[in-house]
Amino acid sequence: MRIALAGAGAFGEKHLDGLKKIEGVEIVSIISRTAEQAAAVAAKYGAKHSSTELEDALARDDVDAVILCTPTQMHASQAIACMEAGKHVQVEIPLADSWADSEAVLAKQKATGLTCMVGHTRRFNPSHQFVHNKIKAGEFAVQQMDVQTYFFRRRNINAKGEPRSWTDHLLWHHAAHTVDLFAYQAGRIVKANALQGPKHPELGIAMDMSIQLLSETGAICTLSLSFNNDGPLGTFFRYIGDTGTYIARYDDLVNGKEEPIDVSKVDVSMNGIELQDREFIAAIREGREPNSSVGKVLDCYRVLGELETQLQG
């Protein structure tokens, strides 16, 4: 499986580290905003080609699939371009920053029959897999999820603390993780409400947001998001169910009494990004629809579109 990666920033390198651990995968091409960065990352990971233009990678016969870790605003158009070039594609979360663009990506996937997967990593983290397996076995049902997604981003910087060329978004990026996860664990979302705080005078985005969700099973979710929070940072998930309480912190899981739960045997790795990439490669090889395919996560973007309409209104 010969891979091109576009967007060799902080998150792009996490994918490259995961891909190195998957048998039979070759990293062929690195695309980045500057030629210097693309060449440096290509040298680090043994890729024979680098460029600043995605089209250069799409024109190569030795590229089977593309992973997009580019700015949010480019995701939909680039995913469509990859499929038009006959390449399988995994686009990092979010799929798009509008409902119309999300639908357009699904339409292209259906037209081409290629694998198109979205990086909804929470479906793959061992902590959330553990809870999902309990739900599938009938041993646990979600009554409520309480989620906090907190960062300190009053300047436009990435996860490495480096300047960003684009602006991140609480609704279309960070809320997407929880909206999809809640539906994955508790059923289709049938009602959603949102409030947002003041917009940043320079970034032009709301820095604080609150979202309420109701699923078809009657479960509820309360999601709090902030770019103003000065620690602790990250996303923390509390599952309140009929048979217990679980608290997930990325790949770690504890019960309601803060007693650790061993999730090391849930999957072949404890790294959610690596597991996500393993699913992408396996789905292509096996000719099947992957978990977090564009079709399976599309309803998340319907909900985000409805919430955006509320906030604009």
Side-chain angles (χ1 to χ4, degrees):
M1 192 65 60
R2 300 166 298 182
I3 305 292
L5 181 129
F11 216 80
E13 291 210 18
K14 291 184 179 181
H15 278 279
L16 293 169
D17 289 336
L19 290 168
K20 287 196 308 181
K21 299 177 181 178
I22 304 174
E23 187 176 351
V25 170
E26 177 187 1
I27 300 166
V28 172
S29 176
I30 300 293
I31 309 299
S32 199
R33 191 161 54 93
T34 68
E36 294 78 12
Q37 183 184 35
V41 176
K44 179 179 178 180
Y45 290 94
K48 56 190 173 186
H49 174 258
S50 66
S51 173
T52 60
E53 303 300 323
L54 176 62
E55 291 76 11
D56 293 343
L58 298 184
R60 295 182 67 91
D61 293 334
D62 58 353
V63 170
D64 301 310
V66 180
I67 296 178
L68 298 174
C69 301
T70 49
T72 292
Q73 295 80 4
M74 304 169 74
H75 285 182
S77 61
Q78 288 186 334
I80 289 171
C82 289
M83 290 183 281
E84 287 179 340
K87 313 298 185 186
H88 304 285
V89 62
Q90 179 186 177
V91 54
E92 252 313 320
I93 196 171
L95 170 64
D97 59 0
S98 78
W99 172 231
D101 284 350
S102 302
E103 290 183 299
V105 177
L106 178 63
K108 181 59 66 175
Q109 188 279 320
K110 287 183 174 179
T112 62
L114 292 163
T115 298
C116 179
M117 177 172 155
V118 190
H120 284 250
T121 314
R122 300 295 164 262
R123 291 180 175 229
F124 302 95
N125 292 118
S127 54
H128 298 296
Q129 279 200 59
F130 179 93
V131 175
H132 191 69
N133 291 341
K134 289 279 188 185
I135 293 168
K136 287 195 301 181
E139 299 171 0
F140 180 79
V142 177
Q143 306 297 319
Q144 179 176 180
M145 282 178 63
D146 186 80
V147 184
Q148 299 173 332
T149 296
Y150 292 156
F151 300 97
F152 189 63
R153 289 193 182 161
R154 295 178 186 170
R155 293 181 297 122
N156 206 15
I157 57 176
N158 68 12
K160 284 185 173 181
E162 300 166 340
R164 261 199 173 124
S165 61
W166 55 285
T167 303
D168 204 359
H169 202 280
L170 287 176
L171 179 65
W172 283 101
H173 177 190
H174 296 286
H177 282 290
T178 296
V179 171
D180 178 68
L181 180 66
F182 179 59
Y184 185 57
Q185 306 286 46
R188 186 176 187 270
I189 295 166
V190 296
K191 189 174 182 179
N193 299 310
L195 295 171
Q196 65 183 12
K199 291 188 177 180
H200 192 282
E202 296 174 6
L203 299 177
I205 58 170
M207 300 290 283
D208 292 276
M209 192 171 292
S210 176
I211 294 173
Q212 292 178 308
L213 306 170
L214 174 70
S215 84
E216 61 188 356
T217 64
I220 62 172
C221 176
T222 302
L223 168 62
S224 172
L225 307 107
S226 181
F227 280 156
N228 273 322
N229 174 69
D230 194 6
L233 307 179
T235 302
F236 314 101
F237 302 83
R238 178 182 291 269
Y239 291 95
I240 300 171
D242 56 345
T243 58
T245 294
Y246 299 103
I247 303 168
R249 300 181 180 98
Y250 292 98
D251 294 317
D252 297 320
L253 188 69
V254 299
N255 63 20
K257 298 178 177 64
E258 292 285 343
E259 297 167 338
I261 296 171
D262 183 9
V263 294
S264 63
K265 303 296 190 294
V266 169
D267 212 323
V268 297
S269 168
M270 283 288 290
N271 184 331
I273 303 300
E274 177 191 337
L275 295 173
Q276 178 181 313
D277 289 338
R278 285 183 179 275
E279 172 68 0
F280 179 53
I281 301 300
I284 297 171
R285 286 172 171 165
E286 297 165 16
R288 60 171 174 81
E289 183 179 12
N291 190 1
S292 82
S293 69
V294 60
K296 290 182 178 178
V297 305
L298 189 75
D299 204 54
C300 163
Y301 297 91
R302 168 191 64 83
V303 175
L304 296 180
E306 292 173 358
L307 291 173
E308 181 178 63
T309 299
Q310 281 185 27
L311 294 171
Q312 290 176 342

